[in-house]
Amino acid sequence: MNQLTWSKLQEQLELELCPPGNGVFTIHTAKEKRESLHKKVFGTSEGVENLWKDSLNHLPQSNHAVVLGICSDTGGGILRGANWGPLFLREALLKNETAKGDIPYFDLGDVRVIPHLLHDKYLNEGTIENCRKALYGTNDTPLPVGPLSISEDVASSFYQVFPKKGLFGIGGDHSTSYPLVKSYLKAKKTQGKKVALIHFDAHTDLLVERLGIDLCFGSWVTHILGDLQKPSHAIQIGIRSSGHPKEHWEKTFGVQQYWADEVINQGPGPITEKILSYLREEKIEELYVSFDIDALDSTYASATGTPEPNGLSPHDPMVILQDLAKEFPISGADMMEIAPYLQTDENIHQGSETTLMVGASISSFLINEITKWTQSQK
Ligand SMILES: [Mn+2]
């Protein structure tokens, strides 16, 4: 069954991905930021393509969390700009790392993104052929072309070859969690592992479709529920912007929700206790954490497509995550919807720096937990 070998996967990664920070197709925009990232990762900003390919040789030996950037915001649609999340968040993560070699994760690189595409199922054959030529130089390949399709191809191959490694995805709009979570859940099912999804967000992301599109930032959760053992293994925290009350979502979809006002009024401790006792009861073994930065109040997270007031403080998810992780290992996670060029609130001075700083501190925690889990796997 497990026919995919590391050398095949390596070929696939070299075709479907590009060096970290290069996922947005541009020459000049954010060039300095990109070069600065490359200096931190590779020690130079020259010849990065080859240095990145060489770096992939070390993946099998790595016992760190593996980072994958998905610079796509095609699945968003209110205020765009989350395509810059992977470059800027990495920069924020490495702010204090000066010399090459201190990077606290293994960087797989970025998905090669054609910014007009989403998923291959929305494309006709002619477009797929053209885009294959553009990305891979030939039409004679079965490789996918849309960012969600490429991401799912990469992540599912990754888990086939490395079932004991964990991915940390950087989006991207929240639709880019769909391929990450989908492939994670399928891999865990194959391994016979019982897992839960801990989803921080101001929104439920539980539309069936939005304007006819089923895989977008507002609907991705709906389409992974069937891959959980029970829909109640999806636990959503921080919800506050919704056209329906909590009961509607819990009854219609079977998910569990803790709205932002519950977390604020009861405190993160008691909420975590409830989640923990449910996870114990259900004999959950591992967690995937999907974090939409808009779960945080807009004073902390203004650089995002749909900032929302009355949200969590950065302290709340940290308390919840730290307490959950003491008992349930986090074996996969992502940070979504950070749009560093968006300055959505003029009253917040340097809003994108704040957003990146809090996004980086939560991401560091999650990356570190995935690394701990990886190192516990024998
Ligand atoms: Mn979301």
Side-chain angles (χ1 to χ4, degrees), residues 248-269:
H248 165 83
W249 302 112
E250 293 193 333
K251 213 173 138 206
T252 310
F253 292 95
V255 299
Q256 291 192 62
Q257 295 183 343
Y258 295 95
W259 282 38
D261 61 343
E262 295 176 81
V263 180
I264 292 163
N265 295 334
Q266 296 173 37

Side-chain angles (χ1 to χ4, degrees), residues 38-301:
H38 290 155
K39 280 182 188 149
K40 281 176 186 153
V41 178
F42 302 115
T44 168
S45 57
E46 307 287 322
V48 161
E49 185 77 22
N50 285 330
L51 291 171
W52 163 70
K53 283 182 183 169
D54 289 345
S55 75
L56 293 178
N57 289 323
H58 304 290
L59 176 61
Q61 286 78 41
S62 164
N63 59 2
H64 281 81
V66 178
V67 165
L68 174 67
I70 311 176
C71 305
S72 169
D73 59 9
T74 315
I78 305 225
L79 290 174
R80 296 259 170 99
N83 58 332
W84 290 102
L87 172 61
F88 282 66
L89 185 63
R90 280 190 184 93
E91 265 278 295
L93 281 168
L94 300 178
K95 209 155 209 161
N96 302 321
E97 320 284 339
T98 42
K100 181 180 179 272
D102 302 343
I103 315 276
Y105 51 80
F106 186 94
D107 206 326
L108 208 53
D110 284 346
V111 168
R112 294 179 71 197
V113 170
I114 299 179
H116 319 286
L117 307 186
L118 186 56
H119 192 283
D120 287 10
K121 71 179 179 176
Y122 304 126
L123 301 176
N124 63 30
E125 262 175 52
T127 305
I128 291 179
E129 282 184 14
N130 268 338
C131 293
R132 277 182 179 145
K133 279 183 210 151
L135 280 184
Y136 310 117
T138 171
N139 184 15
D140 186 24
T141 167
L143 294 175
V145 293
L148 299 189
S149 306
I150 295 178
S151 304
E152 193 171 345
D153 203 36
V154 166
S156 56
S157 298
F158 175 87
Y159 288 127
Q160 267 188 59
V161 177
F162 300 116
K164 293 175 179 178
K165 288 189 197 292
L167 282 175
F168 180 80
I170 309 176
D173 77 81
H174 218 155
S175 73
T176 61
S177 285
Y178 171 82
L180 296 169
V181 175
K182 191 94 181 167
S183 48
Y184 172 91
L185 293 177
K186 284 185 171 168
K188 296 300 168 184
K189 196 181 231 171
T190 311
Q191 297 162 31
K193 285 272 155 60
K194 209 169 174 181
V195 297
L197 169 69
I198 308 294
H199 170 205
F200 288 88
D201 209 312
H203 314 91
T204 67
D205 296 359
L206 280 170
L207 296 173
V208 176
E209 55 171 50
R210 190 174 186 267
L211 296 170
I213 301 299
D214 60 347
L215 298 180
C216 73
F217 71 148
S219 61
W220 69 274
V221 175
T222 308
H223 304 288
I224 56 89
L225 290 179
D227 297 292
L228 287 161
Q229 252 183 33
K230 291 181 187 171
S232 55
H233 295 166
I235 300 173
Q236 304 187 303
I237 305 166
I239 311 293
R240 61 194 180 278
S241 176
S242 162
H244 299 284
K246 170 173 160 168
E247 295 69 37
H248 165 83
W249 302 112
E250 293 193 333
K251 213 173 138 206
T252 310
F253 292 95
V255 299
Q256 291 192 62
Q257 295 183 343
Y258 295 95
W259 282 38
D261 61 343
E262 295 176 81
V263 180
I264 292 163
N265 295 334
Q266 296 173 37
I271 299 287
T272 314
E273 273 314 313
K274 288 179 199 168
I275 298 172
L276 278 171
S277 75
Y278 182 73
L279 298 175
R280 284 178 204 132
E281 215 172 277
E282 291 292 309
K283 301 192 162 52
I284 295 295
E285 293 166 277
E286 295 172 21
L287 304 178
Y288 186 101
V289 177
S290 183
F291 204 104
D292 188 322
I293 199 69
D294 70 26
L296 301 180
D297 188 86
S298 51
T299 51
Y300 303 103

